[in-house]
């Protein structure tokens, strides 16, 4: 995969807040169509990094390109070419399914007919065409989550950022959700997942693990498990975090 | 007092159209760590609020430590320790002030009960003067547990204590619970994480307000009715659709980079699956037989329930 | 842009509360200001001291009471009675005629006529005196022209506030508003915050009784509000020269009563609101606006339509403003406002009972 095109390219990304270094020389690439897991404990610096990659905050130094655009000078272009979904916020609960689609499609400058087409296509895929005019608040959590993801990729972004996407959903819905993510990745959308739930990490092609502002490991889950002689990503993470603290 | 710390019979609770609890019955033994495992919206919080006297069930009875949750709510409130799902401390008070306040409202003596929280509180003691709102997720949770324990409760009720907390803090938290259990405290804990099930003495898997199964983790996984294979390929989606084509394969579910395929006992072995996939042109790197985990059981029970 | 506007409209249309505020508030405001909030004065009780009781004084009185501004009040006979009627708040102005009024006029002497107004409300006092002056001037004109008699010039006396300082009127109002604001709004918000943050859940599961929780929440605010009241009094007395003619102890005691009343109102509001936003809105619209508009603080209650007068009667601030004005400006004691005090006490008890009853020992 080394020769593949990159969707995100970060070299020596540094972000300081006063004397506190939130991101300490992060260097990594995310390949096109890859599902990339961005892991770390609370306060390890994940949120800071995501904000920079989404064009919401400027790094202190480094060379970073997202979807080919420079995060220092081309944040507007970056925002047009990415999608974002978080577990906490994504859909307006007091609007209907279609109104949410219409709103987000509108934000990204999609035409009326394109929005209508995309909505029926995505609802059809989820098998919930009949819920088009239902208020979000009255839908079960699982469906909401799938809809949120559909909305995040309706403008076919190059990269979609998912912030703890499947915390708290039932195991069947979670698998349906990951199936959607795999399909999106297969269609060429790069998926960037941040989470501190290690079982989500197992689904990613490659994962990076952040500890105290630095990337301590970056590889496929299988190779990481082999390297740290661990049965699960959870154990990998605990070993890594404890090693670093002892250091 | 009976051998049961908690006893519930036929609990029902409805919010409008939603049946939050559907004829729920279970019992928890003295000194047990009992886990309620299920997704958000399964009814865990509703159940815990009924057990902590905060809500009234529509029907059914529940008793905790021998006290009826409706009739004896005053007595019960004296001996319960409760950590709600939301972080429920005063963010604008310091660590120390929070602990003093909660000791105060239970008329508890911090010095007398300190041994109980010592292991936990020692870790946050260096930040005693810091405001609770400024603590990290893991530390907040330790403080909340300290506050819930300071009056030496007989029964500890923890609603999703590990949600939103990183893996290291989660592990430490469970280590603390196991120590508390040794002090004789009965602990009932809700969690959406299947992997926490094996840390409990007994668990109930819960979905749509119904208990799917109750028992020790090994009892539940032992009762898994299918033979389970773990298969890996470079294309998980394709692998699943190929596996589902086989008439003897009952289920094929993603588990990280693997797919778990369930079959009836005695029908298939690794070689047969290997041969079948190879014939279909699937590139696979591994096929092996594995024991079922709690998540496999949950999926299987959910499917049965849905049928 | 367009999508955003549409989305925002949808949010508003689907939220009943914002709809009520959006469309209900302007209606209420316009109606209130249109009806209640008239600065003009009419139908005000005016008493008369008329030792002469001759054709001239009767004619002047007729003109006064035919004007539509004034209603015939009591007939008084002495200085003592005048002061007493003011203290009791029975009238806003007293017209005092000279004795042998007509005879003096005939003898080309100028009889005196005195207008004494209750200037604890300086705006109203000013208006009343101006109206009366105008009417007497009218009488002068018609009489002087035909008879060539002397011109009667009324002598004006502003009771309680000779300099007509606006601050005399505002201080009682501001004390009332501030006590209401700090006490009711702060308690209701702070209780609602505990519900919102989830700490209320833990308190409820503890052995604390509802009364303990309420008392614990309220105590600090009692103290803070009391300090607040005292600092306003000190400031207005030493900087603006507002007098405290009556008993200071009584003033503080009545303030304390009002604080407790406001706090119990605040608790009541918090029992019906689940989050800080609702508590804030309820306090604003249910307490602040009526306190300012309907309490008689700025706009005299007498001029409101009957419906609003009734509404005003259930507003605690109305009675409290009356009480503190009486103590501070008129220097009267409990004998003059025991009724108002009892009203406040009854209101306090009602709210405390209602909130202890409504305060749930469980969630939902």
């Amino acid at each position: 995969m080394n020769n593949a095109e990159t969707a995100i390219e970060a070299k020596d990304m540094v972000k300081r807040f006063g004397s506190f270094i939130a991101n300490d020389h992060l260097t990594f690439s995310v390949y096109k169509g890859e599902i990339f897991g961005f892991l770390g404990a609370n306060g390890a610096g994940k949120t800071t990094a995501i904000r920079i990659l989404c064009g919401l905050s400027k790094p202190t130094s480094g060379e970073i390109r997202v979807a080919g655009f420079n995060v220092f000078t081309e944040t507007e272009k970056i925002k047009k070419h990415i999608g974002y979904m978080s577990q906490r916020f994504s859909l307006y609960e007091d609007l209907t399914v279609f109104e949410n689609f219409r709103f987000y499609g509108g934000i990204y400058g999609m035409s009326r007919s394109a929005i209508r087409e995309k909505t029926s296509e995505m609802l059809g895929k989820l098998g919930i065409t009949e819920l088009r005019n239902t208020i979000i608040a009255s839908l079960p959590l699982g469906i909401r989550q799938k809809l949120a993801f559909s909305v995040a990729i309706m403008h076919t972004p190059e990269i979609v950022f998912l912030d703890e996407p499947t915390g708290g959903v039932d195991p069947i819905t979670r698998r349906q959700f990951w199936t959607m993510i795999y399909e999106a990745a297969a269609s060429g959308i790069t998926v960037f997942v941040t989470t501190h739930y290690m079982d989500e990490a197992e689904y990613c092609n490659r994962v990076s693990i952040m500890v105290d502002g630095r990337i301590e490991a970056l590889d496929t889950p299988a190779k990481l498990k082999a390297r740290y002689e661990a049965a699960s990503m959870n154990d990998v993470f605990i070993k890594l975090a404890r090693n670093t603290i002892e250091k | 007092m009976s051998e049961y710390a908690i006893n519930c019979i036929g609990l029902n609770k409805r919010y409008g159209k939603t049946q939050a609890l559907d004829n729920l019955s279970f019992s928890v033994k003295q000194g047990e760590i009992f886990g309620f495992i299920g997704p958000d919206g399964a009814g865990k919080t509703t159940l815990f609020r009924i057990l902590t006297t905060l809500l009234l069930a529509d029907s059914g009875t529940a008793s905790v430590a021998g006290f009826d949750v409706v009739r004896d709510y005053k007595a019960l409130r004296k001996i319960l320790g409760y950590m709600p799902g939301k972080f429920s401390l005063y963010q604008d008070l310091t660590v120390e002030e929070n602990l003093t306040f909660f000791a105060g409202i239970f008329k508890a003596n911090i010095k007398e009960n300190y041994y109980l929280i010592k292991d936990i509180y020692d870790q946050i003691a260096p930040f005693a003067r810091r405001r609770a709102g400024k603590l990290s997720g893991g530390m907040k949770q330790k403080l909340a547990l300290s506050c819930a324990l300071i009056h030496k409760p007989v029964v500890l009720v923890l609603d999703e204590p590990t949600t939103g907390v990183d893996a290291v803090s989660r592990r430490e938290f469970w280590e603390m619970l196991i120590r508390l259990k040794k002090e004789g405290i009965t602990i009932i804990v809700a969690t959406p994480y299947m992997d926490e099930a094996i840390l409990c003495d007994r668990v109930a898997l819960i979905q749509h307000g119904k208990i799917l199964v109750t028992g020790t983790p090994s009892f539940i996984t032992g009762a898994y009715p299918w033979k389970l294979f773990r298969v890996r390929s470079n294309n998980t989606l394709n692998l699943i659709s190929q596996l589902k084509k086989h008439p003897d394969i009952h289920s094929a579910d993603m588990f990280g980079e693997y797919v778990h395929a369930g079959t009836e006992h005695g029908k298939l072995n690794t070689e047969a699956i290997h041969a079948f996939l190879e014939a279909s042109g699937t590139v696979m790197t591994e096929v092996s037989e594995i024991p079922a985990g709690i998540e496999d059981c949950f999926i299987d029970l959910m499917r049965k329930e849905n049928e | 842009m367009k999508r955003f506007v549409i989305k925002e409209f949808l949010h508003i249309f689907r939220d009943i509360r914002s709809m009520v505020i959006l469309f209900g508030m302007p209606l209420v405001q316009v109606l209130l200001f249109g009806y209640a909030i008239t600065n003009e004065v009419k139908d005000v009780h005016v008493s008369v001291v008329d030792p002469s009781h001759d054709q001239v004084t009767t004619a002047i009185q007729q003109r006064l009471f035919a004007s539509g501004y004034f209603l015939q009040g009591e007939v008084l006979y002495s200085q003592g009675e005048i002061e007493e009627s003011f203290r009791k708040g029975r009238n806003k102005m007293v017209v005092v005629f000279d004795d042998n009024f007509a005879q003096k006029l005939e003898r080309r002497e100028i009889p005196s006529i005195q207008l004494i107004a209750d200037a604890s409300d300086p705006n109203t006092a000013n208006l009343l005196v101006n109206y009366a002056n105008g009417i007497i001037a009218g009488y002068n004109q018609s009489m002087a022209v035909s008879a060539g008699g002397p011109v009667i010039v009324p002598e004006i006396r502003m009771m309680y506030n000779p300099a007509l300082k606006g601050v005399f009127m505002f201080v009682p109002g501001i004390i009332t508003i501030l006590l209401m604001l700090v006490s009711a709004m702060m308690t209701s918000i702070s209780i609602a915050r505990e519900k919102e943050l989830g700490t209320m859940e833990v308190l409820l599961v503890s052995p604390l009784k509802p009364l303990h929780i309420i008392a614990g929440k309220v105590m600090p605010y009692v103290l803070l509000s009391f300090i607040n009241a005292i600092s306003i009094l000190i400031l207005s007395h030493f900087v603006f020269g507002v007098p405290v003619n009556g008993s200071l102890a009584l003033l503080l005691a009545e303030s304390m009563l009002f604080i407790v009343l406001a706090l119990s109102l605040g608790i009541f509001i918090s029992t019906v609101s689940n989050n800080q936003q609702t508590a804030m809105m309820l306090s604003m619209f249910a307490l602040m606006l009526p306190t300012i508009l309907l309490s008689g603080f700025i706009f005299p209650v007498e001029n409101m339509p009957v419906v609003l007068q009734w509404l005003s009667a259930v507003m605690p601030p109305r009675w409290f403003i009356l009480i503190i004005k009486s103590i501070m400006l008129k220097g009267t004691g409990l004998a003059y406002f025991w009724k108002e005090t009892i009203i406040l006490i009854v209101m306090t008890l009602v709210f405390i009972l209602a909130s202890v009853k409504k305060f749930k020992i469980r969630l939902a």
Side-chain angles (χ1 to χ4, degrees), chain C residues 6-227:
Chain C
I6 294 176
K7 172 192 81 91
E8 220 48 50
F9 268 123
L10 289 172
H11 286 315
I12 294 165
F13 290 149
R14 288 189 188 149
D15 180 20
I16 292 167
R17 204 166 50 204
S18 22
M19 286 288 277
V20 168
I21 289 168
L22 205 65
F23 295 109
M25 282 312 291
L27 278 178
V28 173
Q29 296 271 16
V30 167
L31 288 177
L32 266 183
F33 275 98
Y35 279 118
I37 320 300
T38 46
N39 262 317
E40 63 190 70
V41 175
K42 52 179 199 233
D43 295 344
V44 177
H45 286 276
V46 168
S47 302
V48 175
V49 180
D50 185 4
S52 314
H53 209 73
D54 51 32
Q55 74 277 15
V56 179
T57 58
T58 314
I60 294 178
Q61 281 186 47
Q62 265 170 3
R63 280 189 174 236
L64 284 175
F65 293 119
S67 67
Y69 298 125
F70 309 120
L71 286 182
Q72 189 129 26
E74 299 161 310
V75 176
L76 307 170
Y77 295 98
S78 70
Q79 192 62 31
E81 280 185 3
I82 296 174
E83 273 168 28
E84 182 68 10
S85 77
F86 272 126
R87 282 202 208 109
K88 286 193 170 147
R90 294 227 182 98
N91 48 42
K92 292 260 173 194
M93 185 166 76
V94 176
V95 182
V96 185
F97 292 99
D98 209 346
D99 52 2
N100 304 322
F101 205 94
Q103 286 172 11
K104 280 181 182 165
L105 270 178
E106 266 166 38
R107 277 183 262 143
R108 305 266 155 179
E109 280 172 41
I110 302 175
S112 75
I113 176 165
Q114 205 180 17
L115 301 175
I116 308 174
D118 177 352
S120 61
D121 179 353
N123 287 345
T124 309
N126 222 350
L127 280 171
L128 292 177
V129 167
N130 283 342
Y131 288 150
N133 245 336
I135 291 163
I136 293 169
Y139 175 81
N140 273 334
Q141 221 162 23
S142 60
M143 291 314 287
V145 166
S146 63
V151 174
I152 310 162
V153 181
E155 180 191 316
I156 290 155
R157 220 181 112 201
M158 293 293 181
M159 286 276 279
Y160 309 123
N161 183 4
L164 285 182
K165 281 191 189 166
V167 72
F168 282 30
M169 167 175 133
F170 280 107
V171 163
I174 283 167
I175 293 180
T176 312
I177 289 183
L178 269 164
L179 291 187
M180 203 66 172
L181 186 84
V182 176
S183 316
M185 201 138 134
M186 297 292 271
T187 28
S188 66
I189 289 174
S190 89
I191 293 181
R193 184 172 58 212
E194 298 229 21
K195 286 191 193 174
E196 204 175 324
L197 292 179
T199 41
M200 190 54 88
E201 230 173 292
V202 180
L203 295 185
L204 285 176
V205 172
S206 78
L208 287 175
K209 293 188 178 73
L211 200 65
H212 289 157
I213 299 180
I214 290 178
K217 291 247 63 153
V218 157
M219 285 308 178
Y221 292 105
V222 172
L223 194 71
L224 291 178
S225 305
F226 197 62
I227 292 173

Side-chain angles (χ1 to χ4, degrees), chain B residues 49 52-56 69-70 73 77-78 80 82 84 86-90 101-102 105-106, chain C residues 193-209 212 217 361-364:
Chain B
R49 285 183 170 164
T52 52
T53 75
L54 284 171
L55 273 183
L56 296 176
V69 294
V70 181
Y73 77 94
R77 286 178 181 187
K78 289 190 183 135
L80 272 181
Y82 175 46
K86 268 195 273 180
F87 175 65
S88 54
L89 300 176
Y90 295 97
F101 174 75
F102 283 102
I105 61 174
F106 284 95
Chain C
R193 184 172 58 212
E194 298 229 21
K195 286 191 193 174
E196 204 175 324
L197 292 179
T199 41
M200 190 54 88
E201 230 173 292
V202 180
L203 295 185
L204 285 176
V205 172
S206 78
L208 287 175
K209 293 188 178 73
H212 289 157
K217 291 247 63 153
I361 53 159
R362 300 174 204 278
L363 294 171

Side-chain angles (χ1 to χ4, degrees), chain C residues 120-121 169 172 296 321-330:
Chain C
S120 61
D121 179 353
M169 167 175 133
I321 287 183
L322 255 167
I323 293 173
I324 47 177
K325 267 189 178 176
S326 303
I327 302 179
M328 292 176 73
L329 304 178
K330 300 185 182 172

Side-chain angles (χ1 to χ4, degrees), chain B residues 40-193:
Chain B
D40 290 356
K44 303 189 297 286
T45 299
T46 304
L47 171 65
F48 280 25
R49 285 183 170 164
I50 289 173
L51 294 180
T52 52
T53 75
L54 284 171
L55 273 183
L56 296 176
D58 297 337
S59 63
T61 60
S63 66
V64 176
F67 295 112
D68 185 276
V69 294
V70 181
R71 200 183 52 230
D72 310 322
Y73 77 94
K74 278 186 186 161
L76 187 48
R77 286 178 181 187
K78 289 190 183 135
I79 54 137
L80 272 181
Y82 175 46
M83 236 177 103
K86 268 195 273 180
F87 175 65
S88 54
L89 300 176
Y90 295 97
Q91 316 248 3
D92 51 348
L93 298 188
T94 65
V95 168
E96 215 170 17
E97 287 161 350
N98 266 297
L99 190 67
T100 317
F101 174 75
F102 283 102
I105 61 174
F106 284 95
K107 297 198 175 81
N109 185 330
I110 296 187
K111 272 190 195 148
E112 233 166 63
N113 295 337
Y114 190 73
Y115 73 98
L116 206 56
I117 61 162
K118 187 176 181 308
D119 289 336
I120 312 160
Y121 194 74
D122 278 356
Q123 298 175 45
I124 44 174
F127 310 103
R129 297 273 165 83
R130 192 180 285 187
R131 301 212 170 159
K134 298 242 154 122
L135 294 175
S136 74
M139 293 212 271
K140 276 184 185 169
Q141 176 210 41
K142 281 170 197 159
L143 176 58
L145 184 61
S146 301
C147 291
L149 279 172
I150 193 60
H151 61 291
K152 205 183 178 198
V154 176
V155 175
L156 188 58
V157 180
L158 309 170
D159 191 4
E160 299 209 7
T162 54
T163 297
V165 173
D166 66 61
V168 176
S169 301
R170 258 170 77 190
R171 166 144 323 174
E172 285 171 358
F173 192 81
W174 276 96
E175 284 164 3
M176 288 181 254
L177 293 191
I178 288 159
R179 275 200 297 273
L180 288 174
K181 180 195 153 170
K182 290 191 185 125
E183 296 287 340
I185 297 176
T186 304
I187 301 170
I188 164 165
V189 54
T191 173
Y193 303 117

